[in-house]
Amino acid sequence: MERSLKRVKLRSEQISLRLFSCMVVIIFSILYISIPLIIHSYQDYIKTQQVLSEITSLRALVKTANKISRERAPANKLMSSTPDELQQHQKELKEFRLVVDQQIDEAITTLHQAGFNSIATALNSDLKTQLAQSRKVVDDYALIPPKQRNAAELDHAIVSMFAAWDKTREYLSALMLEAKSKDSKMSNYIISIVV
């Protein structure tokens, strides 16, 4: 009986050892299969984060360009206003300029967070400078009495506002050049957003 118990115990230990060995093989097989998948998924996640960051930056720049473009409407209203309408149109333009300035600051923050520091710095210095100069030309023109205004000065004011908007196109192009996801599936969408 004692021998029988020893055999059963020995057999049980052998079965446990085989079972343990099989479990180890199964665990290593699962790890062998899953680790490359985990690594690939993580790399895809990093690429997706990069694309999201670039699209967010692009969106901020496009919104900035659109706001600057839309500033031309109240600027044109101001430049064509009569002395009676001047104060009202100045107030409207001033309020819209605050919205534009806020959008530029949001774009700068977004670009810094995404790592596009050179473009953010250019927005903060070059674009703001160009926009301030354009705004001064518009404001100076609006202060000229209506009878003394001429088409050349009006054209100069309008062109100066277009120059500010043109700056944003330069930054959009720079963003496209610096983008790391140019070769991704999203590149077509990014190009269509710019267009």
Side-chain angles (χ1 to χ4, degrees):
M1 178 110 170
E2 204 174 291
R3 278 187 166 180
S4 167
L5 281 172
K6 281 186 177 180
R7 272 190 209 159
V8 169
K9 190 175 178 185
L10 184 62
R11 187 170 171 92
S12 175
E13 286 176 4
Q14 286 176 346
I15 291 173
S16 293
L17 185 64
R18 285 181 183 166
L19 184 62
F20 179 76
S21 300
C22 288
M23 290 302 291
V24 168
V25 169
I26 290 170
I27 289 171
F28 278 118
S29 298
I30 290 172
L31 286 175
Y32 180 76
I33 293 169
S34 64
I35 287 178
L37 293 173
I38 292 169
I39 291 171
H40 182 71
S41 296
Y42 180 73
Q43 289 170 340
D44 283 348
Y45 171 76
I46 296 295
K47 286 178 187 175
T48 304
Q49 281 293 105
Q50 182 67 39
V51 169
L52 175 65
S53 174
E54 290 172 1
I55 287 177
T56 304
S57 299
L58 180 64
R59 180 177 178 258
L61 266 179
V62 168
K63 281 179 74 175
T64 301
N66 287 338
K67 293 278 187 198
I68 290 172
S69 179
R70 288 179 56 203
E71 184 180 326
R72 291 187 317 232
N76 289 341
K77 265 175 83 173
L78 176 69
M79 291 187 296
S80 63
S81 61
T82 64
D84 298 337
E85 303 168 323
L86 187 64
Q87 279 189 322
Q88 176 63 29
H89 291 165
Q90 281 176 328
K91 182 182 175 201
E92 289 174 16
L93 182 58
K94 184 178 180 183
E95 289 171 1
F96 195 82
R97 284 176 176 173
L98 291 174
V99 172
V100 173
D101 291 341
Q102 182 181 1
Q103 178 58 45
I104 292 170
D105 291 336
E106 286 176 20
I108 290 168
T109 302
T110 302
L111 289 165
H112 273 302
Q113 289 171 347
F116 296 107
N117 295 321
S118 61
I119 299 172
T121 303
L123 247 69
N124 197 29
S125 58
D126 298 344
L127 179 63
K128 284 186 175 182
T129 301
Q130 176 67 49
L131 194 56
Q133 290 170 354
S134 300
R135 287 172 174 175
K136 183 173 178 350
V137 172
V138 168
D139 293 341
D140 290 346
Y141 179 82
L143 294 175
I144 298 172
K147 292 184 179 181
Q148 295 176 3
R149 296 176 183 172
N150 63 47
E153 291 169 336
L154 176 63
D155 187 53
H156 175 64
I158 291 170
V159 168
S160 70
M161 284 304 293
F162 272 104
W165 180 79
D166 285 340
K167 275 278 186 205
T168 59
R169 298 281 300 160
E170 292 174 24
Y171 303 132
L172 285 168
S173 298
L175 180 68
M176 291 297 294
L177 290 174
E178 287 186 31
K180 292 182 175 86
S181 61
K182 287 183 272 200
D183 300 327
S184 75
K185 295 175 185 173
M186 295 300 293
S187 64
N188 291 336
Y189 296 110
I190 292 171
I191 291 168
S192 64
I193 289 169
V194 171
V195 170

